[in-house]
């Protein structure tokens, strides 16, 4: 069953009923000001950091679902028609049934249109490029054959900045809320009197006939956002908040003749003043509004809103235009051309901080996460990828290890979600390599970057990469495999934790010295990273280092083959007792997906039959119609020596859920093994668009990937959770664009090596790369993956497109597939 449809032409998903199985959300904002917006206008906004600089409130774990948002109410002031006297044009929070409803989630904007009793409303929400504000542009149309008097209300609940404190510290917070109201604009300025230099505001294009800034004055005692008494009675109190819960609500009275259309624009914004210019007059406590007023004025004008919206569309058109494909499959086309790329951008911006499933309070930017997000993002905005790499590297520790996360506002690493995840540093190498392959900006390796943000500790970025490699080599276990530390990619495989106290954090508890438990996964990742280091050292002309990395790589491969191979697949780990996990020897957790993916991606077993053996084992033991599960058999009880992985009921999350992030590794591995049909089959199983028809099972948004789909052991097999913020986005993008379609950047240029389904007779793609636009046509001539290339009409050797020196900005590439 579907709840909407794709509109690929406009790059939108159109939801046609408000009661989706879960809130289906979108993101507003591209650089500093961000918002989450659901299909019923729920969500919240923040500046840079969802925890530390939260602008509006949201109620977590909500009933009804999705409470708190950027709300508009419409009130029929007369002449009354049969029907409700007030309603929400976005359905929530009043949930009064609408005659028509449609939500269009697009690239950085959302439009919610509805109609009730002849009054149509359409609200376009977006954040103009380069601004710290969001626009809600409401267009009202009177389809009645008589004049309508309508009151329009805006409504947001302000957050007192630190979202964690706001949600818990009422003894203080109920006494500190402050606002100013001037010319209909509401300024939220809690703590501005002391150390803050920022405030939020809600402004309106029309003259305001009333306002409220004290929540209870607007809602009425013991009432909710579904039935504010001020809207019910039509009477605002012009309340000015002192403490309690500051809100922003404005009432605008609109008269609409029959057939008439009018616009009302609201802007919700964030503004910073210079410290010595905070107040006006200087010795007062009044906000100096001189620098914010021109911004407000600009965006309250409809033409400027239009211009800003067109600029946003152009921005996305240009970003997406860097890689476009036409294949025989619509799911592939729309995910590659639109939604997968879009999700990659969102994960790059948010890491794992703010979604419907991530509260914005718990996690900041993950070290491992952000490095992987970059793999799918780097071709869109290489400059921002560069900045991110340097930010991440600056949080690296002198040991080469990493903080598991940093706070986006401060860019400082912290241990809030633990440290000592021994895979973390190696991901930095993959990210830097991807950046270099895309840009050839070798200069980045010379950038002086500190450790742990300590001034004086700077070293060229290349030194950080060396320390990442050394970090693993300094931590090898009894089988010469890397010690796992707190955990590796699988946060929940906690082999040194041994936690038996209720509520103790698996992420921060350590009971063992960590000298025994080893990870085959990290071994595979090490081989992959060492390969990149060999190429980098080669390019830098550092022969000694090339040799050292080659030797380390070979040693690691040897360790994998002697202790990490189980006969039919790669083992997962060794536990603190030195026993194998992910082996036929185990009763539960016999085979895991992660080491099969990473080891084959690192090239292990590709020159004999062991890679295909491992992949066939995946097919046999782990593949389901909804995707590939993490391991089998699931853990049926809690194992002290395994940790959080066994804390989940079977089939969920890391305990044998379909942890989508890992599926593209198998797609890539299958493509590397030359098995295009298999790679593509796995691709389609978790492709959200291909799952649209089972939305009532899948439940999450059909336009973006979710972190997890319940595995075979769960009663809800096939049901997705944790949509949006997941490494699945970047890795799927890499799997389909670079390995299945096979267009991938290398240190030497753009390589084309498609491993597409046998039934496809070809595809077309355009890829912008190092300033040149390649128009690539792939035509199948026979079975197999052999390629013959013609560039600009001339046959060339191999499958890397040479960089032509003729200055042409557009290059035609013809590929004949299956000829060799
Ligand atoms: C979750 C993991 C997550 C980890 C780190 C665990 O509880 O299951 O998916 O990566 O916490 O925050
Ligand atoms: C989600 C985390 O963000 C990611 O870093 C981790 O690899 C997976 N969970 C698996 O545990």
């Amino acid at each position: 069953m579907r709840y909407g449809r794709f509109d690929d032409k406009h790059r939108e998903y159109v939801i046609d009923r408000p009661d989706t199985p879960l809130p289906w959300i979108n993101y507003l904002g591209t650089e500093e000001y961000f918002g989450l917006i659901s299909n019923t206008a729920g969500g919240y906004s923040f500046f840079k950091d969802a925890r530390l600089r939260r602008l509006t409130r949201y109620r977590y774990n909500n009933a009804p679902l999705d409470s708190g948002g950027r709300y508009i109410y419409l009130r029929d002031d007369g002449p009354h028609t049969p029907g409700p006297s007030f309603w929400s044009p976005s359905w929530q929070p009043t949930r009064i049934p609408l005659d028509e409803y449609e939500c269009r989630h697009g690239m950085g904007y959302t439009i919610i249109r509805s109609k009730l009793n002849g009054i149509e409303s359409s609200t376009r929400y977006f954040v103009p490029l380069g601004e710290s504000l969001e626009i809600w542009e409401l267009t009202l149309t009177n389809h009645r054959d008589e004049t309508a008097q309508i009151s329009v209300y805006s409504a947001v609940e302000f957050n007192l900045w630190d979202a964690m404190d706001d949600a818990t510290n009422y003894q203080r917070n109920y006494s500190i809320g402050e606002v100013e109201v001037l010319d209909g604009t509401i300024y939220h300025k809690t703590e501005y009197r002391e150390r803050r230099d920022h405030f939020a505001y809600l402004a309106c294009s029309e003259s305001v006939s009333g306002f409220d800034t004290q929540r209870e004055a607007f809602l009425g005692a013991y009432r909710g956002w579904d039935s504010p008494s001020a809207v019910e009675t039509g009477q605002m109190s012009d309340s000015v908040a002192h403490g309690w819960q500051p809100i922003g609500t404005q009432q605008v009275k609109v008269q609409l003749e029959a057939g008439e259309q009018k616009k009302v624009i609201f802007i919700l914004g964030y503004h910073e003043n210079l410290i010595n210019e905070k107040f006006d007059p200087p010795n007062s406590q009044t906000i100096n509004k001189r620098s914010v007023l021109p911004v407000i004025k600009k965006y309250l004008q409809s033409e400027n809103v239009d211009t800003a919206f067109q600029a946003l569309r152009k921005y996305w058109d240009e970003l997406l235009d860097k890689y476009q494909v036409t294949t025989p499959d619509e799911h592939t086309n729309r995910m590659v051309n639109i939604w997968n790329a879009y999700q990659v951008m969102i994960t790059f911006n948010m890491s794992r901080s703010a979604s419907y499933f991530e509260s914005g309070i718990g996690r900041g930017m993950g070290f491992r996460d952000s490095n992987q997000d970059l793999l799918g993002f780097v071709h869109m905005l290489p400059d921002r990828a560069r900045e991110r790499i340097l930010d991440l590297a600056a949080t690296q520790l002198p040991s080469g290890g990493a903080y598991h996360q940093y706070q986006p506002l401060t860019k400082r690493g912290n241990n809030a979600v633990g440290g000592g995840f021994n895979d973390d540093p190696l991901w930095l190498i993959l990210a830097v390599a991807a950046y270099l392959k895309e840009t050839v900006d070798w200069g980045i390796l010379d950038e002086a970057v500190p450790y742990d943000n300590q001034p004086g500790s700077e070293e060229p970025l290349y030194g950080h990469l060396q320390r990442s490699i050394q970090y693993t080599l300094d931590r090898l276990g009894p089988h010469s495999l890397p010690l796992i530390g707190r955990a590796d990619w699988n946060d929940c495989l906690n082999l040194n934790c041994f936690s038996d106290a209720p509520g103790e954090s698996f992420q921060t508890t350590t009971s063992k010295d960590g000298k025994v438990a080893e990870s085959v996964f990290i071994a595979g990742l090490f081989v992959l990273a060492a390969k990149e280091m060999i190429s980098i050292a080669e390019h830098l002309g550092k022969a000694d280092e090339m040799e050292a990395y080659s030797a380390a790589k070979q040693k690691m491969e040897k360790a994998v083959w002697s202790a990490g191979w189980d006969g039919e697949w790669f083992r997962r780990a060794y536990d603190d007792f030195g026993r194998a996990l992910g082996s036929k020897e185990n009763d539960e957790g016999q085979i895991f997906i992660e080491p099969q993916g990473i080891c084959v991606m690192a090239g292990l077993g590709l020159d004999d039959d062991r890679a295909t053996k491992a992949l066939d084992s995946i097919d046999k033991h782990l593949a389901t119609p909804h995707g590939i599960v993490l391991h089998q058999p699931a853990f049926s009880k809690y194992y002290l020596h395994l940790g959080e992985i066994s804390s989940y009921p079977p089939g969920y999350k890391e305990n044998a859920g379909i942890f989508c992030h890992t599926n593209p590794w198998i797609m890539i591995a299958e493509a590397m093994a030359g098995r295009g049909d298999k790679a593509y089959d796995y691709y389609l199983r978790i492709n959200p668009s291909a799952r649209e028809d089972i939305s009532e099972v899948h439940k999450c948004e059909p336009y973006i990937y979710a972190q997890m789909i319940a595995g075979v052991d769960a009663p809800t097999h096939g049901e997705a959770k944790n949509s949006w913020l997941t490494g699945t986005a970047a890795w799927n993008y890499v799997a389909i664009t670079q390995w299945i379609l096979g267009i991938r950047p290398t240190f030497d240029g753009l390589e084309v090596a498609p491993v597409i389904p046998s039934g496809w007779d070809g595809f077309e793609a355009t890829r912008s790369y190092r300033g040149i636009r390649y128009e690539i046509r792939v035509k199948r001539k026979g079975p197999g993956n052999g390629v013959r290339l013609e560039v600009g009409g001339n046959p060339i050797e191999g499958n890397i497109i040479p960089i032509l020196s003729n200055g042409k900005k557009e290059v035609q590439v013809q590929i004949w597939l299956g000829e060799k």
Side-chain angles (χ1 to χ4, degrees):
M1 172 183 175
R2 299 184 186 197
Y3 294 80
R5 67 193 151 86
F6 286 93
D7 178 347
D8 294 336
K9 185 160 167 274
H10 296 100
R11 295 181 163 149
E12 292 172 338
Y13 190 80
V14 190
I15 301 165
D16 54 24
R17 49 188 286 184
D19 56 342
T20 43
L22 286 165
W24 283 4
I25 72 168
N26 192 15
Y27 287 81
L28 309 176
T30 44
E31 277 168 33
E32 296 193 321
Y33 184 105
F34 296 106
L36 279 73
I37 182 164
S38 72
N39 57 310
T40 58
Y44 56 88
S45 301
F46 57 93
F47 179 73
K48 283 190 185 170
D49 193 313
R51 170 165 179 175
L52 298 178
R53 206 53 58 90
R54 185 80 68 93
L55 305 185
T56 59
R57 276 198 184 137
Y58 192 70
R59 303 234 133 49
Y60 306 105
N61 198 358
N62 28 43
L65 289 179
D66 197 23
S67 320
R70 31 182 86 64
Y71 293 139
I72 288 175
Y73 300 89
L74 298 180
R75 182 177 192 279
D76 201 340
D77 291 337
H80 292 291
T81 55
S85 62
F86 70 93
W87 69 95
S88 304
S90 60
W91 190 58
Q92 288 253 55
T94 62
R95 288 184 305 283
I96 286 170
L98 298 160
D99 295 338
E100 288 175 20
Y101 162 91
E102 180 186 274
C103 167
R104 288 179 174 262
H105 283 321
M107 306 286 104
Y109 66 89
T110 287
I111 300 170
I112 302 177
R113 192 190 64 78
S114 67
K115 198 167 159 189
L116 185 63
N117 284 336
I119 302 297
E120 184 183 347
S121 88
S122 174
T123 314
R124 182 159 77 172
Y125 303 87
F126 72 101
V127 175
L129 294 173
E131 301 289 2
S132 296
L133 57 90
E134 63 185 65
I135 292 174
W136 319 348
E137 183 196 39
L138 167 72
T139 307
L140 279 176
T141 313
N142 179 10
H143 293 282
R144 298 175 184 167
D145 43 22
E146 57 183 357
T147 307
Q149 311 280 354
I150 303 289
S151 276
V152 178
Y153 300 81
S154 58
V156 287
E157 190 166 347
F158 291 115
N159 194 291
L160 309 191
W161 310 118
D162 179 334
M164 181 66 170
D165 191 72
D166 181 80
T168 47
N169 194 12
Y170 314 122
Q171 60 80 23
R172 168 177 162 85
N173 294 339
Y174 282 174
S175 292
I176 63 172
E178 287 189 300
V179 298
E180 281 177 34
V181 185
L182 185 72
D183 299 332
T185 300
I186 295 166
Y187 298 86
H188 172 233
K189 61 167 196 175
T190 300
E191 289 185 346
Y192 190 74
R193 58 170 54 245
E194 28 128 348
R195 292 154 298 172
R196 294 191 184 273
D197 57 359
H198 49 261
F199 55 89
Y201 57 87
L202 181 69
C204 178
S205 61
E206 308 307 302
S207 74
V208 159
S209 64
F211 63 87
D212 269 311
T213 67
Q214 187 63 269
R215 192 176 75 191
E216 190 148 314
F218 180 68
L219 297 182
Y222 292 94
R223 294 173 71 126
W225 291 98
D226 55 342
S227 62
S229 67
V231 178
E232 190 178 284
T233 60
Q235 192 53 54
M236 303 291 263
S237 342
D238 296 355
S239 58
V240 175
H242 300 281
W244 299 113
Q245 296 94 351
I247 63 169
T249 57
Q250 297 145 322
Q251 180 185 23
V252 172
K253 295 194 168 166
V254 182
Q255 172 165 318
L256 288 167
E257 304 308 326
E260 199 186 357
Q261 192 170 75
K262 273 191 184 157
K263 277 192 179 166
V264 182
I265 301 164
F266 295 101
I267 50 183
L268 172 64
Y270 168 89
H271 194 75
E272 287 175 4
N273 271 340
L274 294 174
I275 293 280
N276 53 1
E277 293 176 7
K278 276 172 65 169
F279 301 109
D280 184 22
N283 50 4
S284 73
Q285 289 288 296
T286 312
I287 298 174
N288 176 355
K289 305 183 183 70
R290 260 172 295 174
S291 60
V292 75
L293 283 176
V295 186
I296 296 180
K297 192 166 164 223
K298 176 173 176 189
Y299 289 104
L300 290 180
Q301 286 164 25
S302 183
E303 318 80 75
N304 296 336
V305 170
D306 266 334
T307 311
F309 186 72
Q310 293 318 325
L312 179 69
R313 289 209 83 140
K314 184 156 172 273
Y315 170 85
W316 272 106
D317 286 347
E318 285 173 6
L319 281 183
L320 298 179
D321 196 47
K322 299 201 170 169
Y323 195 136
Q324 290 286 302
V325 295
T326 312
T327 76
D329 174 52
E330 64 165 352
H331 305 300
T332 306
N333 296 345
R334 70 164 64 105
M335 289 312 289
V336 171
N337 295 341
I338 309 169
W339 292 100
N340 196 174
Y342 181 62
Q343 188 180 359
V344 164
M345 172 76 145
I346 304 293
T347 55
F348 177 85
N349 283 332
M350 301 286 135
S351 194
R352 307 293 171 268
S353 65
S355 74
Y356 188 71
F357 301 86
E358 297 281 5
S359 63
I361 290 174
R363 296 206 266 174
M365 313 295 284
F367 190 90
R368 154 201 313 139
D369 296 326
S370 294
N371 277 309
Q372 289 175 82
D373 293 344
L374 213 131
L375 303 178
F377 172 84
V378 60
H379 70 291
M380 285 195 266
L381 285 169
D383 289 348
R384 288 193 62 206
R386 188 181 210 274
E387 182 191 357
R388 177 63 51 79
I389 286 173
L390 298 177
D391 287 347
L392 285 162
T395 68
Q396 195 178 16
L397 298 163
S399 65
Y403 288 110
H404 205 41
Q405 73 155 18
Y406 73 86
Q407 227 31 65
L409 193 67
T410 60
K411 295 192 175 175
R412 295 288 186 273
N414 64 53
N415 277 322
V417 295
F421 294 81
N422 281 353
D423 64 315
D424 269 341
L426 293 171
W427 296 109
L428 180 65
I429 297 176
L430 264 50
V432 172
Y435 175 76
L436 291 171
K437 291 175 192 172
E438 184 68 34
T439 62
V440 279
D441 170 20
W442 291 93
I444 193 174
L445 295 175
D446 300 325
E447 287 283 345
V449 186
Y451 290 95
D452 197 6
N453 288 104
Q454 294 306 313
S457 66
E458 290 81 2
E459 199 180 39
L461 179 65
Y462 182 65
H464 285 252
L465 305 186
Q466 289 179 299
R467 290 200 201 190
S468 296
I469 288 281
Q470 197 55 42
Y471 181 86
T472 306
L473 295 178
D474 289 345
R475 287 165 183 74
L476 298 179
H479 299 90
S480 302
L481 291 167
L483 292 170
I484 197 166
R486 167 101 34 226
D488 59 22
W489 173 87
N490 191 328
D491 279 318
C492 301
L493 190 58
N494 314 124
L495 304 181
N496 294 305
C497 186
F498 287 78
S499 172
D500 55 9
E504 205 167 51
S505 161
F506 288 104
Q507 253 76 49
T508 51
T509 308
T510 310
S511 310
K512 301 285 169 173
D513 61 8
K515 298 271 164 49
V516 180
E518 299 167 292
S519 161
V520 178
F521 177 83
I522 301 182
L525 180 60
F526 180 88
V527 173
L528 196 55
K531 279 184 156 176
E532 305 289 23
M533 287 303 279
I534 295 168
S535 305
I536 293 173
E538 182 181 5
H539 182 90
L540 300 178
K542 294 178 189 275
D544 291 357
E545 281 163 32
M546 265 180 81
E547 236 170 74
Y549 294 134
S550 304
K553 169 180 163 275
Q554 276 171 22
K555 249 174 119 179
M556 191 65 82
E557 288 174 345
K558 231 175 112 201
V560 171
W561 290 127
S562 72
W565 178 251
D566 201 58
E568 280 175 83
W569 57 77
F570 293 96
R571 294 181 172 170
R572 180 65 179 82
Y574 282 88
D575 66 18
D576 182 58
F577 306 104
R579 297 177 309 209
L581 178 67
S583 158
K584 280 193 275 299
E585 291 167 20
N586 303 105
D587 294 334
E588 299 188 335
Q590 280 180 353
I591 170 170
F592 282 72
I593 190 174
E594 305 102 298
Q596 323 312 322
I598 205 84
C599 290
V600 178
M601 285 201 294
L604 285 153
L606 278 173
D607 44 16
D608 52 42
D609 66 346
R610 287 179 288 188
T612 45
K613 241 190 196 166
L615 294 172
D616 290 343
S617 298
I618 291 266
D619 192 22
K620 185 163 162 208
H621 301 287
L622 303 183
T624 82
H626 295 289
I628 310 166
V629 299
L630 210 57
H631 61 264
Q632 280 293 292
F635 298 110
S636 59
K637 56 176 193 257
Y638 178 58
Y639 292 96
L640 190 63
H641 68 291
L642 298 181
E644 187 172 358
I645 192 168
S646 59
S647 75
Y648 287 110
Y652 292 110
K653 293 279 287 184
E654 278 89 341
N655 189 9
I658 296 159
F659 216 95
C660 296
H661 186 139
T662 59
N663 280 221
W665 295 343
I666 303 303
M667 298 166 204
I668 296 171
E670 287 286 3
M672 290 176 93
R675 307 199 299 189
D677 284 322
K678 206 68 221 152
Y680 182 68
D681 172 15
Y682 289 141
Y683 174 73
L684 276 191
R685 293 190 202 194
I686 63 165
N687 179 306
S689 161
R691 297 173 62 76
E692 187 192 16
D693 282 342
I694 52 161
S695 287
E696 80 287 4
V697 176
H698 185 77
K699 295 214 170 120
C700 284
E701 298 91 332
Y703 40 92
I704 45 100
Y705 287 95
Q707 182 204 57
M708 199 252 333
I709 298 174
V712 270
D713 303 284
T716 55
H717 184 35
E719 180 184 87
K721 281 184 192 137
N722 297 8
S723 53
W724 281 100
L725 303 185
T726 160
T728 314
W731 275 109
N732 259 290
Y733 191 79
V734 170
I736 184 71
T737 60
Q738 298 190 17
W739 294 95
I740 298 178
L741 301 176
I743 302 172
R744 62 176 167 269
T746 70
F747 291 108
D748 304 318
L750 198 60
E751 180 171 10
V752 193
V755 186
I756 54 175
S758 50
W760 283 15
D761 63 358
F763 67 92
E764 290 178 12
T766 54
R767 171 68 154 92
S768 297
Y769 181 66
R770 301 187 190 171
I772 296 173
R773 194 172 166 80
Y774 294 98
E775 308 253 345
I776 301 168
R777 282 196 170 71
V778 178
K779 185 95 193 101
R780 188 181 280 293
K781 300 285 272 184
N785 306 309
V787 290
R788 191 163 60 76
L789 245 76
E790 275 173 25
V791 178
N794 305 311
I796 60 141
E797 280 296 311
N799 54 8
I800 296 186
I801 307 170
I803 311 283
L804 301 177
S805 52
N806 59 10
K808 277 205 176 143
K809 290 284 165 217
E810 280 198 14
V811 174
Q812 311 287 326
V813 181
Q814 177 70 53
I815 316 275
W816 307 107
L817 191 64
E819 279 214 326
K820 281 197 284 201

